[in-house]
Amino acid sequence: MHQVFNTPSKVIITCNKRLSPYLELEVKNLGFKPVRIFSTGLELKVSLNDCIRLNLNLRCASQVLYSLQEFDAENGEELYQKVTAIAWEKLIDFGGYFSVTSNVDNSTITTPLFANLKVKDAIADRIKSVHKIRPNSGPDYTKTVVHLYWKNEKAEIFLDTSGETLAKHSYRKIPGKAPMLEALAASTILATQWDFKSPFINPMCGSGTLAIEAALIATGRTPGLLRMNYGFMHILGYEEEVFFTERRRLKDQVVKNQDLKIIATDISEDAIDISKKNAKTAGVDQLIEFYACDFADTRIPQDEAGVIMFNPEYGERLGVHSKLEATYARIGDFMKKECKGYTGYIFTGNPDLAKKIGLRASRRIEFYNGKLDCRLLEYELYDGSRR
């Protein structure tokens, strides 16, 4: 079992729904070849050491799960027996701490907590039978994390090599109002036609997530440079030199691009203050110009065309507010008059409000924000008449 760090196995990388095309792009850019792709992730065959690299590099992922074993289990008792048969004493330190997560759809189980408890007891009992000491366990994901996937009678046990989710990128100490998840923000930027060199303008920036992700992507700074604890660090056989070698490589690949023009504005002084603090934590505060102003007063560089991206409020799905209708109409006017030559993007979960923009979208890219069905609307803002 201690060979897991060098032994290829099935690895599932999960992500939020509709982010898998951008996750696939990232994984392929790292030189890995997906075995299959589905709406909430993809499958690879790689080792645990490869999982270290994946964890440090991915922007759009949630968890990197390394498969230990697949088996049939009709009920909780069978699940317990099969999990007890795994040599956990070679994977988890008896003086350590572990937690269990699950995705369960089995007719004999009314609550996933029962399945989690069965797995937890099986692991602890197995380690106690060898070492005479029962390891601690609980709900905290900062140490070893074991994941159960159980659908009907098919069960699979994974090591969650990420621990806490990769979808949060560790710089947003102050979230602000209704923030966009970092993995979603990164995916929307990857979905645009931005070349990572021309201006990136983000009016109504809120807590600054889009502008910060744009700066991180453009300069090759990966989320792994902002985080020092992962699930793989708490598995027996982990060699920290593998982690530090990859981290050094990531530091060396950061592009020192001082010509980058990223502008973020918001009408709220508080939002700009929060954005500046978050950008500083992310190490990109020198790369973003922040201004407190109405979005219509945002300065648009005219020397070269870039991308302008809005993530305005979209209220509840039903019942459009007249104030928001007016805002969306103003956004449309602003893009049409002040952003000629740029490609415009508006992220919204409200199709009725989107109609008020008054421009024809050239693409409607599908996303979810939580459970809300959203679109990233693309607008080609022609300079002069369209040929």
Side-chain angles (χ1 to χ4, degrees), residues 148-160:
L148 163 71
Y149 179 81
W150 190 13
K151 190 170 172 66
N152 302 324
E153 74 285 353
K154 298 285 177 200
E156 191 164 7
I157 290 284
F158 295 88
L159 289 171
D160 181 344

Side-chain angles (χ1 to χ4, degrees), residues 15-76:
C15 63
N16 282 24
K17 210 169 177 187
R18 292 182 177 158
L19 301 193
S20 57
Y22 313 103
L23 176 60
E24 180 191 357
L25 185 74
E26 287 193 289
V27 167
K28 284 180 171 173
N29 284 344
L30 288 170
F32 295 103
K33 203 171 171 196
V35 176
R36 69 184 174 100
I37 293 134
F38 43 99
S39 70
T40 56
L42 54 81
E43 180 186 328
L44 297 171
K45 187 158 188 190
V46 295
S47 71
L48 256 183
N49 276 335
D50 292 322
C51 291
I52 294 177
R53 188 155 172 245
L54 289 161
N55 274 289
L56 266 69
N57 280 274
L58 297 175
R59 301 174 197 278
C60 306
S62 296
Q63 315 292 143
V64 179
L65 306 170
Y66 178 92
S67 178
L68 284 178
Q69 209 166 92
E70 290 180 76
F71 49 80
D72 287 350
E74 297 282 345
N75 53 43

Side-chain angles (χ1 to χ4, degrees), residues 67-95:
S67 178
L68 284 178
Q69 209 166 92
E70 290 180 76
F71 49 80
D72 287 350
E74 297 282 345
N75 53 43
E77 201 39 55
E78 267 192 52
L79 176 72
Y80 173 87
Q81 298 298 341
K82 297 284 173 72
V83 176
T84 312
I86 298 170
W88 294 104
E89 69 280 3
K90 294 180 179 174
L91 293 165
I92 299 172
D93 181 10
F94 62 86

